[in-house]
């Protein structure tokens, strides 16, 4: 009787062990299926983001930092920022042909080394409208110079300094800050200056950036005519 009782007592344990062992493959299968679902959810592609929005967000802080603007002025500068490949709303811009002639000869400057002539041609006159037209005229020439143009490096280096002079004078003056022409020209300056910084003054301004640059210049001229 003792041996039979022991056998009966042991029998449920064996049955439980068998049931437990039978559940292990099922549990493993469930875990594998659940893990695969988690991996699939984790590897889903992120929600696509507008390229234009990302580019504007990337460039706006750079523009604002360079200009030293804040508050409402920063908002205006950000609104004027347009990335490469984009154009502003409005009529199409007629791009000028590339220039192969010496830029100094184009403006009638015989000797670029003459300090008096340089002062007369490039230095700011402390008159916003006149200075804005002056620097924009020289910037347009820089953006049109072709590869191998004589004195291109010297010209671009001088125009870069002229742009810095214009910003230094009108960045904080009441006569300019708040004007639409100021923010449009500032964006154009940033476009040309970034090319000089990345590639140096020896290389022509790239064709893909010219439409944006000349459209900004066109807006500057339109705003100046309206006194803005």
């Amino acid at each position: 009787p003792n041996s039979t009782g022991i056998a009966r007592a042991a029998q449920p344990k064996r049955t439980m062990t068998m049931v437990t062992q039978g559940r292990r493959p099922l549990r493993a299968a469930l875990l594998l299926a659940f893990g695969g679902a988690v991996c699939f959810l984790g590897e889903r592609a992120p929600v696509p983001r507008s390229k234009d929005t990302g580019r504007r967000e990337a460039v706006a802080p750079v523009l604002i930092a360079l200009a030293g603007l804040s508050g409402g002025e920063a908002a205006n500068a950000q609104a004027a920022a347009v990335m490469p490949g984009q154009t502003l709303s409005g009529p199409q811009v007629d791009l000028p042909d590339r220039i192969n002639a010496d830029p100094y000869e184009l403006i009638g400057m015989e000797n670029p080394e003459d300090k008096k002539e340089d002062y007369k041609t490039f230095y700011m006159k402390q008159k916003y409208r006149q200075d804005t037209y002056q620097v924009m005229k020289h910037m347009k020439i820089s953006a049109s110079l072709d590869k191998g143009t004589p004195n291109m490096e010297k010209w671009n280096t001088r125009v870069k300094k002229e742009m810095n002079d214009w910003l230094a004078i009108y960045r904080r003056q009441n006569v300019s800050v708040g004007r639409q022409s100021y923010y449009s020209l500032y964006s154009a300056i940033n476009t040309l200056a970034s090319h000089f910084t990345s590639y140096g003054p020896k290389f022509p301004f790239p064709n893909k950036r010219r439409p944006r640059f000349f459209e900004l210049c066109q807006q500057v001229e339109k705003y100046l005519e309206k006194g803005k």
Side-chain angles (χ1 to χ4, degrees):
N2 294 335
S3 60
T4 303
I6 294 172
R8 289 177 179 176
Q11 187 172 357
K13 294 181 180 180
R14 288 199 300 271
T15 303
M16 187 178 296
T17 304
M18 293 175 63
V19 172
T20 304
Q21 291 177 350
R23 290 176 179 173
R24 287 178 181 174
L26 179 59
R27 184 180 299 174
L30 291 173
L31 289 174
L32 287 174
F34 178 74
V38 171
C39 291
F40 174 77
L41 293 173
E43 293 177 358
R44 287 186 306 172
V47 178
R49 187 179 182 184
S50 172
K51 293 182 179 180
D52 296 338
T53 301
R55 288 175 177 177
R56 285 180 181 271
E57 291 176 355
V59 76
V62 177
L63 295 176
I64 295 167
L66 288 175
L69 305 178
S70 60
E73 299 171 5
N76 290 331
Q78 183 174 353
V82 184
M83 291 309 301
Q86 292 181 309
T87 56
L88 301 172
S89 59
Q92 294 295 324
V93 177
D94 293 329
L95 296 180
D97 295 333
R98 287 287 185 176
I99 298 173
N100 294 310
D102 189 322
Y104 288 100
E105 294 180 359
L106 290 177
I107 63 172
M109 189 172 177
E110 297 179 358
N111 183 13
E113 304 299 332
D114 188 334
K115 292 184 178 181
K116 291 183 178 180
E117 197 171 357
D118 178 86
Y119 183 88
K120 180 181 178 181
T121 303
F122 290 100
Y123 275 78
M124 300 292 102
K125 314 306 186 292
Q126 303 291 329
K127 296 180 179 179
Y128 175 76
R129 184 185 177 90
Q130 182 179 351
D131 290 342
T132 301
Y133 273 121
Q134 172 186 303
V135 67
M136 185 170 57
K137 172 186 174 182
H138 297 158
M139 289 169 61
K140 285 181 176 181
I141 294 177
S142 285
S144 298
L145 296 180
D146 205 354
K147 186 177 181 180
T149 300
N151 280 327
M152 179 167 62
E153 182 178 4
K154 180 187 291 294
W155 173 268
N156 286 338
T157 301
R158 187 63 188 87
V159 170
K160 183 179 180 180
K161 183 180 183 304
E162 184 183 28
M163 293 189 302
N164 290 334
D165 292 341
W166 186 87
L167 283 174
I169 293 173
Y170 296 109
R171 179 176 295 165
R172 290 298 182 185
Q173 288 194 13
N174 294 331
V175 70
S176 56
V177 173
R179 285 192 175 196
Q180 291 173 304
S181 59
Y182 170 84
Y183 295 112
S184 293
L185 184 58
Y186 172 73
S187 295
I189 287 176
N190 181 75
T191 301
L192 190 58
S194 65
H195 168 71
F196 292 156
T197 301
S198 300
Y199 300 98
K202 296 180 180 180
F203 296 92
F205 192 63
N207 287 328
K208 64 181 180 180
R209 306 188 74 178
R210 295 183 80 217
R212 171 179 69 133
F213 173 82
F214 281 101
E215 192 166 2
L216 285 169
C217 291
Q218 178 177 288
Q219 280 214 337
V220 174
E221 293 171 346
K222 181 183 69 175
Y223 290 140
L224 286 176
E225 291 174 0
K226 296 179 178 180
K228 297 181 179 180

